[in-house]
Amino acid sequence: MKTAHRKQRLTLLVLRDAQHSVRQIQLSRPLMIAVPAAAILSIAGLIVSLQIQSAQTIMGLEKQLTLKSLEAIKMEVTVTDKDEAIERLNKAIIQLSDEAEQTKVQMERVQQLEQELQQFIQKHGSLSGQTSSILDDNDQHVGGEFIAVHENEMLSLAQETQDDFVEIQQLIASMERHIPRTLDQAQETQEKREGTPSLWPTTSKRLTSNFGYRSDPFTGRSAYHAGIDIAGKIGDPVYAAGAGEVTAAERSGARGLYIIVKHPNGLETWYMHLDSLDVSVGDHVNQGETIGKLGSSGRSTGPHLHFQVVKNNQTVDPIPYLQ
Ligand SMILES: [Zn+2]
C-alpha cells in the first residue's frame, strides 16, 4: 500500500548552479497530469480569448474604416456639390455684373438724352432758367472680362456689381426726379417755340414802316402805327409767324383782306392788305404755313404786308418777336 502509494508519486529534481543545493519536489500523480493540463488549458483559453478579442478589434476597426470611407465619399460628394454651387454662383455673379454694366450704360444713355433735352430747352426756351442739375457721373470702374476666377476676384466682382446697382438706383432716382420736369419744360418750350410768332411772315425783308408813332402816309399827320409794314410783290406768300388758330379771315374797309391768328399765351398776329386768303376761321395753322398772298387791299399805298402782334388785347412791337 505504502509502495503503491510511493509509486504514484513523482520526484522532480531542481538543479541550479554549484553554490546551491539540489531541490527535490515531489508531486503526486494526479497533480503531475493536472498541472500541465491546467497550464495548457489556460494558455489555450488565453489564445482563444485573444483571438476573440482581436477579431472584435478587427471588426471594430473594419466598421470604423467603413464609416470613415463612407464619410470620405460623402465629403467628396459634398465638396463636389459645393464646387458646383460655387461655380454656379460665380457664373450668376458674372452674369449679374454684365447686366449691371449694360443697365448702367443704358441709364447713362438716357441721362445723355436728358442732357440734350436740357440743352435744347436752354437754347430755345426763354424759361425761368430752372434747369435741373444732372447727377454727376463720377468715373466708376468698369468690370472687364474675367478669365481666371479666384475667390477674391469673385468677391470684388460681386462688390463691384453691388456698387453698380447702387449707382444705377441713384441714377434712376435722379431721373425719376428730373425727367418729368425736363419733359414738361421741353413740351412747354416746344409749344412756345411753335406757338410764339417768331417767324418772319413773308419773303421780303424790306421794312417800310416801324411800329409806333409816325406821320400818316395819307394825311401826313402824326399817327400811331400798330404794326410794321413790309414791302413786297403782289402774290408773295404770307406765312403764319407761329402756330395757332385762325380767328378772322375776311375783308374790312381799312384793313382790306386780313387774317388774325390766335397763339398760346394771349398772343395774336394780324396780317393786313392781303391779295387773297388761303385759310378760313377755325383752321389750325402751323408755323411757316402759307395763309394768304401779299397784296395792297384796303387803306394801302402799295403792295405790302402790315403785320402786327397783339398781346392781351394790346398792340406791341412785333420786331422783338421775330427772329
Ligand atoms: Zn401798316
Side-chain angles (χ1 to χ4, degrees):
M1 180 95 174
K2 209 179 174 181
T3 316
H5 182 74
R6 267 182 196 273
K7 275 181 183 170
Q8 284 180 336
R9 281 184 167 290
L10 186 75
T11 304
L12 289 174
L13 292 176
V14 180
L15 297 171
R16 289 189 285 180
D17 54 60
Q19 279 88 23
H20 293 84
S21 57
V22 175
R23 282 192 70 184
Q24 212 176 16
I25 299 163
Q26 289 197 332
L27 292 172
S28 62
R29 197 173 172 80
L31 262 179
M32 216 172 67
I33 297 163
V35 168
I40 289 164
L41 272 176
S42 81
I43 288 165
L46 195 66
I47 289 168
V48 168
S49 84
L50 271 174
Q51 275 181 335
I52 292 168
Q53 219 181 333
S54 64
Q56 277 174 348
T57 310
I58 287 165
M59 261 172 67
L61 281 172
E62 276 178 344
K63 206 173 166 188
Q64 278 183 6
L65 254 172
T66 313
L67 281 173
K68 281 264 186 285
S69 58
L70 265 175
E71 271 172 32
I73 291 166
K74 267 163 76 182
M75 278 279 280
E76 207 178 317
V77 169
T78 315
V79 166
T80 314
D81 278 357
K82 274 184 186 153
D83 283 348
E84 279 171 7
I86 288 168
E87 191 55 38
R88 280 200 301 272
L89 275 175
N90 285 352
K91 277 180 185 163
I93 289 170
I94 291 169
Q95 200 182 339
L96 257 181
S97 162
D98 284 351
E99 281 169 16
E101 239 4 272
Q102 281 172 18
T103 312
K104 213 175 91 179
V105 168
Q106 286 172 338
M107 296 303 286
E108 281 164 357
R109 237 179 267 149
V110 174
Q111 203 181 35
Q112 176 75 32
L113 280 174
E114 202 217 341
Q115 277 172 335
E116 282 170 21
L117 257 178
Q118 282 291 346
Q119 281 163 4
F120 168 80
I121 291 165
Q122 276 167 5
K123 193 177 169 190
H124 298 292
S126 53
L127 298 168
S128 51
Q130 274 186 9
T131 50
S132 20
S133 68
I134 310 291
L135 188 82
D136 275 341
D137 182 33
N138 43 26
D139 201 30
Q140 280 277 329
H141 52 82
V142 185
E145 224 177 298
F146 268 93
I147 297 155
V149 180
H150 300 298
E151 266 179 55
N152 286 344
E153 282 173 313
M154 285 322 294
L155 280 176
S156 66
L157 184 60
Q159 186 59 51
E160 280 173 26
T161 306
Q162 200 181 350
D163 290 350
D164 278 352
F165 274 118
V166 168
E167 209 190 327
I168 287 164
Q169 278 165 357
Q170 285 171 348
L171 275 170
I172 291 171
S174 160
M175 282 174 186
E176 277 175 344
R177 285 196 306 274
H178 293 308
I179 287 178
R181 204 164 72 200
T182 305
L183 285 176
D184 283 352
Q185 287 176 343
Q187 201 177 347
E188 204 181 325
T189 305
Q190 183 75 358
E191 279 171 7
K192 274 194 170 188
R193 200 170 126 73
E194 285 182 347
T196 304
S198 57
L199 186 90
W200 192 262
T202 185
T203 45
S204 163
K205 295 278 167 76
R206 198 156 66 89
L207 203 63
T208 47
S209 185
N210 284 315
F211 170 82
Y213 291 95
R214 62 168 186 182
S215 86
D216 187 87
F218 287 92
T219 62
R221 290 163 62 186
S222 78
Y224 178 72
H225 190 219
I228 55 171
D229 291 339
I230 307 160
K233 298 193 300 288
I234 288 183
D236 278 353
V238 171
Y239 309 120
E245 193 193 329
V246 177
T247 53
E250 60 195 10
R251 185 184 294 275
S252 153
R255 296 171 186 169
L257 275 174
Y258 77 103
I259 295 167
I260 298 174
V261 178
K262 197 179 170 196
H263 308 283
N265 307 315
L267 284 167
E268 285 174 354
T269 45
W270 295 39
Y271 310 80
M272 296 184 193
H273 314 301
L274 302 177
D275 191 59
S276 63
L277 307 176
D278 288 0
V279 292
S280 312
V281 172
D283 283 356
H284 178 88
V285 292
N286 294 318
Q287 188 175 51
E289 193 176 319
T290 301
I291 52 175
K293 302 286 185 294
L294 189 141
S296 191
S297 60
R299 196 168 182 265
S300 169
T301 56
H304 79 283
L305 172 69
H306 173 98
F307 176 74
Q308 74 180 51
V309 175
V310 177
K311 187 178 186 183
N312 301 323
N313 303 316
Q314 285 204 320
T315 50
V316 292
D317 188 0
I319 293 295
Y321 285 96
L322 301 175
Q323 285 170 350

